[in-house]
Amino acid sequence: IKEALRMHPAVSYPLERVVPPDGVRLCGEYLSGGTIVGVNAAVIHRDRDIFGQDADTFRPERWLHSSEERIKLMDRHNLAVSSRMDDGFF
């Protein structure tokens, strides 16, 4: 199920977060506190640094045969099934 939702997320609009009051540096840019930022799940789900060089390939076994560390990384970035707000973005 995780792999199917990773490849075809049910939500197509950006999943928003609010920058903490002190602000944050994101991708080399400073964002003021209260700024709303968002990313489309399909973009994150195809990130090769997170899901591997075959991120564009449907491969359910990636969730079973990867290291525990890699699975935790993928889980943190699998926006289709994660409701965590402390996912490392802020």
Side-chain angles (χ1 to χ4, degrees):
I1 290 174
K2 286 182 182 181
E3 185 71 355
L5 289 173
R6 183 187 74 82
M7 294 296 295
H8 303 286
V11 178
S12 62
Y13 53 85
L15 300 170
E16 297 178 344
R17 300 287 194 270
V18 178
V19 174
D22 293 338
V24 69
R25 186 160 295 281
L26 185 65
C27 297
E29 299 292 326
Y30 177 78
L31 301 172
S32 301
T35 302
I36 298 173
V37 296
V39 65
N40 186 297
V43 173
I44 293 292
H45 293 171
R46 301 299 174 102
D47 188 320
R48 292 178 179 185
D49 291 335
I50 298 167
F51 295 97
Q53 292 303 307
D54 61 350
D56 292 329
T57 302
F58 179 75
R59 193 172 64 80
E61 60 272 12
R62 83 176 70 245
W63 299 93
L64 301 172
H65 302 299
S66 295
S67 70
E68 186 174 331
E69 182 179 313
R70 172 66 67 174
I71 291 170
K72 286 180 182 180
L73 177 69
M74 293 187 302
D75 276 336
R76 277 195 313 271
H77 293 88
N78 189 354
L79 303 181
V81 297
S82 174
S83 62
R84 291 181 52 177
M85 295 303 283
D86 63 340
D87 53 15
F89 287 14
F90 302 129

